[in-house]
Amino acid sequence: LGATGPPFLLALSLLVALSQLTLPPQREKWLQYAWIVILVSQIGMWGARIIAVAATHAIARRREADPSAATHLMLGALVARLVLWTVLLLVMLDNLGFNIATLMASLGIGGIAVALAVQNILGDIFSSVSIAFDKPFVIGDFIVVDDYMGTVEYVGMKTTRLRSLGGEQIIISNSELLKNRIRNFKRMEERRVLFEFGIAYETGLAEVERIPAMVQDIVRRQQAVRLDRVHFKSHGDSALMFEVVYYVLDADFNRYMDIQQRINLDMLREFRAAGIAFAYPTTTVHVARRAPAAAAAAGAGAIRAVPLTSNP
């Protein structure tokens, strides 16, 4: 009812009054055209208002529970209004005597020219439709796109807006967004963690053999953790290298950091108690001295290079 405005009522009253008169055939034809234009326009206004009211109520119900659905409903309402007015325009032109087939062909040629002129904007619009239906992410997801990361705040017709960890808003066009690989951390069910550590080469063989079992016990004591493996990986430049892989059964980053911190503290405590030292970069220099007879034979004042070797 709110979409029924005074102009429609005034035009309807005028047309009803004119229909009671005896008019020439040409005027009768124009009167019929006026009826078509007025009625189809008003039907379009009613339909657009119905779509807007329905979308507003649906968005209000889902805004808190599912923000992504609210965005998609907003986009759907826009598309529905566009389709409604397109269909009504074609119906109006058909009833006014225009050849719709010829008109559609002409619009097709003109549409190609317009599409070439605004292809970037159309690309963003189609990308927003793809995001709405395919849902690679929704509002509230934490995503990483190229070198940018943040929480999705808004998905519009042309751009998507992220709130970065630093607090600033990052605005990316939808077409550029879908051209990159998107990492959605909100949908991560568990987090795979790999870390390495090294111990000194002076560590005894018995202690080296004990380390995998010690680390396994430390990791298994943690809650919401699944151990994968602990291995003596390699002989490093200045340390015996070990590799540990486990899974945190929660996607929360802060919880992962808390678990890793407890593992590090337990390893430091138990390694010190067992007399096992963590390695740090060291270099041993060996200086080779020549025999006195060879030095005399080299001649007084001769300068020779002294070989230096570096071993762990």
Side-chain angles (χ1 to χ4, degrees), residues 147-160:
D147 295 332
Y148 303 100
M149 62 178 67
T151 302
V152 180
E153 282 192 335
Y154 175 77
V155 180
M157 293 294 294
K158 180 169 175 54
T159 62
T160 295

Side-chain angles (χ1 to χ4, degrees), residues 277-296:
F278 286 100
Y280 51 87
T282 58
T283 302
T284 303
V285 179
H286 297 275
V287 180
R289 294 187 178 183
R290 303 179 61 191

Side-chain angles (χ1 to χ4, degrees), residues 53 75 79 90 123 152-153 182 194 205 222 224 241 246 257 274 286 309:
V53 171
L75 177 63
V79 173
L90 293 176
V152 180
E153 282 192 335
I182 301 172
L194 183 150
L205 180 59
Q222 311 303 319
M241 300 302 301
Y246 68 91
M257 288 302 300
H286 297 275
T309 59

Side-chain angles (χ1 to χ4, degrees), residues 43-291:
I43 290 172
M45 293 180 184
W46 284 334
R49 178 61 64 88
I50 290 172
I51 293 172
V53 171
T56 300
H57 284 284
I59 290 171
R61 288 195 304 268
R62 300 189 180 186
R63 185 178 296 274
E64 298 297 331
D66 190 359
S68 62
T71 303
H72 300 153
L73 284 170
M74 191 181 303
L75 177 63
L78 177 62
V79 173
R81 286 196 296 269
L82 180 62
V83 172
L84 172 67
W85 282 110
T86 301
V87 172
L88 290 177
L89 178 61
L90 293 176
V91 170
M92 182 190 301
L93 293 176
D94 185 49
N95 282 275
L96 292 178
F98 289 91
N99 189 338
I100 300 299
T102 304
L103 179 63
M104 292 297 295
S106 302
L107 290 177
I109 297 173
I112 294 174
V114 174
L116 291 175
V118 294
Q119 56 183 335
N120 291 334
I121 297 176
L122 292 177
D124 289 329
I125 294 175
F126 287 130
S127 296
S128 69
V129 175
S130 176
I131 292 172
F133 285 99
D134 194 41
K135 295 183 180 179
F137 54 85
V138 296
I139 293 175
D141 286 359
F142 185 88
I143 64 173
V144 176
V145 183
D146 201 8
D147 295 332
Y148 303 100
M149 62 178 67
T151 302
V152 180
E153 282 192 335
Y154 175 77
V155 180
M157 293 294 294
K158 180 169 175 54
T159 62
T160 295
R161 301 168 193 174
L162 310 178
R163 182 67 60 182
S164 73
L165 295 176
E168 69 272 17
Q169 189 179 67
I170 302 172
I171 302 174
I172 308 175
S173 68
N174 292 327
S175 59
E176 290 296 325
L177 186 65
L178 294 184
K179 288 179 183 178
N180 294 284
R181 292 177 175 85
I182 301 172
R183 301 172 64 188
N184 193 331
F185 284 90
K186 185 66 175 294
R187 299 180 184 177
M188 181 170 57
E189 297 180 358
E190 58 183 21
R191 184 184 297 271
R192 183 178 185 268
V193 182
L194 183 150
F195 72 94
E196 298 178 349
F197 65 92
I199 62 170
Y201 266 95
E202 293 78 13
T203 307
L205 180 59
E207 284 75 15
V208 174
E209 293 175 344
R210 288 174 51 200
I211 288 175
M214 294 173 62
V215 176
Q216 288 177 11
D217 292 339
I218 291 172
V219 175
R220 284 172 178 160
R221 288 200 299 265
Q222 311 303 319
Q223 296 181 354
V225 168
R226 185 179 77 252
L227 176 66
D228 186 13
R229 60 184 176 84
V230 179
H231 286 105
F232 176 18
K233 178 184 177 183
S234 63
H235 296 82
D237 292 337
S238 58
L240 303 175
M241 300 302 301
F242 288 79
E243 186 175 79
V244 183
V245 178
Y246 68 91
Y247 290 85
V248 179
L249 307 180
D250 194 328
D252 185 63
F253 183 80
N254 290 334
R255 186 167 188 182
Y256 147 65
M257 288 302 300
D258 291 339
I259 292 172
Q260 186 62 50
Q261 177 178 255
R262 290 195 297 268
I263 291 174
N264 292 338
L265 291 174
D266 290 346
M267 288 177 56
L268 184 61
R269 185 182 302 110
E270 295 190 17
F271 280 24
R272 285 184 177 180
I276 300 173
F278 286 100
Y280 51 87
T282 58
T283 302
T284 303
V285 179
H286 297 275
V287 180
R289 294 187 178 183
R290 303 179 61 191

Side-chain angles (χ1 to χ4, degrees), residues 1-10 12 38 41-47 49:
L1 294 178
T4 307
F8 169 73
L9 299 176
L10 179 61
L12 180 64
I38 294 299
S41 299
Q42 186 57 49
I43 290 172
M45 293 180 184
W46 284 334
R49 178 61 64 88

